[in-house]
Amino acid sequence: MLGYTITQWLFGVLSFLAIMFALMVVFSRNPVNSVLYLVMTFFCIAGHYLLMNAQFLAIVHIVVYAGAIMVLFLFVIMLMNLNEDTEPQRTQITKIIAGVAGGLLLFVLVGSLKGTEQLQLQSYGASQIGLVKNLGKVLFSEFLFPFEIASILLLAALVGSIMIGKKDIK
Amino acid sequence: MINGISINYYLLLSTVLFIIGAVGVMARRNSIIIFMCIELMLNAVNLLLVSFSTLHNDASGQVFVFFIMAVAAAEVAVGLAILSMIYRNVKSIDTDLLSNLKK
């Protein structure tokens, strides 16, 4: 197909969709729509992970981000009853300045990346490191201590969010 | 270009996603949308870590992304608790109204 392999087509389509949905997150006026577009962006990024054969991360990404974090966002938005009418808007001039600042940042970063070496992802699609078996071996041997620390971090976050969310602490 | 995709395309994609997130943080006033844009920026970095991990055939990058996801989950839980507390006190999550520390 026009000299491109199927992998390159998939990469192009997924990238295009991810960028489009990301733009919709920023530009949509209704917060609920923003959340749904962000979920679509996360699915596109999970597709990218699958393309790189990082299967474990693709599944964890869908479960943690699309499944847990975005549902949490959606619940909070529904609790606060946010919609288009209550949505605060910045003035036009601030939006233009934000756009120009972003464009300049893009200009600088792309300019700095322009001269980099063209390295191909060699074992693309055949890479074995992203499989659950191999990643689990690394995680539970080399990174066992950080893994245990992460559980303490999650416990601290759990206690902290309950303490903050409580109405009156006696 | 035979089969693989050059790392430069992943660099460009991550840069664009990161900057869309940064523009969102600058252009919006709703705290929750700002929070979501920060998540978008985190994901752009995650994507780049995974692509470099595949490039160098090294699992450490993917393990690092796994830890970033755990930290992001903790961050979102605490952040949304703070936002709902702010909403309970101020009845709004407009960032321009949260200027008590300036007075």
Side-chain angles (χ1 to χ4, degrees):
Chain A
M1 280 183 286
L2 301 173
Y4 293 109
T5 61
I6 191 91
T7 317
Q8 286 164 341
W9 274 106
L10 277 173
F11 176 85
V13 170
L14 281 174
S15 308
F16 177 77
L17 284 177
I19 291 172
M20 277 299 126
F21 284 129
L23 283 173
M24 298 290 271
V25 172
V26 176
F27 291 119
S28 122
R29 285 182 179 260
N30 193 336
V32 178
N33 287 353
S34 280
V35 172
L36 296 178
Y37 287 129
L38 194 56
V39 172
M40 294 310 293
T41 315
F42 286 159
F43 274 112
C44 293
I45 291 175
H48 273 295
Y49 290 164
L50 276 184
L51 214 56
M52 287 183 275
N53 217 13
Q55 300 172 0
F56 175 71
L57 278 183
I59 296 298
V60 168
H61 190 263
I62 288 177
V63 169
V64 171
Y65 273 104
I69 293 182
M70 296 327 284
V71 171
L72 208 58
F73 271 108
L74 213 52
F75 269 140
V76 170
I77 285 178
M78 283 172 176
L79 277 177
M80 295 178 183
N81 199 13
L82 300 178
N83 50 44
E84 250 169 281
D85 308 323
T86 58
E87 182 66 12
Q89 289 293 333
R90 283 220 185 278
T91 53
Q92 208 66 35
I93 185 82
T94 322
K95 281 181 185 169
I96 292 170
I97 289 172
V100 170
L104 286 174
L105 192 58
L106 184 68
F107 184 71
V108 170
L109 284 178
V110 170
S112 68
L113 295 176
K114 209 177 128 280
T116 49
E117 210 178 331
Q118 294 269 344
L119 288 172
Q120 295 267 335
L121 269 66
Q122 288 299 338
S123 51
Y124 200 84
S127 160
Q128 298 293 312
I129 53 166
L131 304 184
V132 181
K133 189 180 163 192
N134 301 330
L135 211 56
K137 271 182 191 157
V138 179
L139 191 60
F140 287 113
S141 58
E142 207 178 327
F143 292 93
L144 184 62
F145 186 62
F147 184 75
E148 298 295 339
I149 296 292
S151 69
I152 298 176
L153 172 77
L154 287 175
L155 180 69
L158 183 72
V159 175
S161 52
I162 291 173
M163 284 299 282
I164 293 168
K166 263 178 88 126
K167 223 170 198 141
D168 47 349
I169 299 158
K170 284 170 189 136
Chain B
M1 295 278 246
I2 302 145
N3 185 27
I5 289 161
S6 165
I7 192 75
N8 291 42
Y9 292 109
Y10 280 106
L11 276 168
L12 272 179
L13 174 65
S14 297
T15 310
V16 170
L17 282 178
F18 188 88
I19 280 159
I20 291 171
V23 169
V25 170
M26 288 187 275
R28 297 298 296 257
R29 270 169 65 186
N30 188 335
S31 315
I32 289 187
I33 307 277
I34 290 177
F35 212 4
M36 278 160 51
C37 289
I38 293 172
E39 290 300 313
L40 193 60
M41 288 155 83
L42 268 175
N43 270 284
V45 176
N46 276 356
L47 182 62
L48 200 57
L49 270 172
V50 174
S51 62
F52 269 103
S53 149
T54 312
L55 176 73
H56 293 295
N57 215 7
D58 183 357
S60 306
Q62 299 199 8
V63 174
F64 203 79
V65 170
F66 179 72
F67 286 127
I68 291 177
M69 280 179 187
V71 172
E75 171 227 331
V76 165
V78 175
L80 284 177
I82 292 173
L83 281 186
S84 62
M85 204 62 197
I86 289 171
Y87 185 77
R88 199 179 289 153
N89 291 326
V90 189
K91 297 286 169 234
S92 168
I93 46 164
D94 185 348
T95 45
D96 284 14
L97 296 177
L98 307 175
S99 54
N100 279 340
L101 284 179
K102 231 161 63 174
K103 286 170 191 163

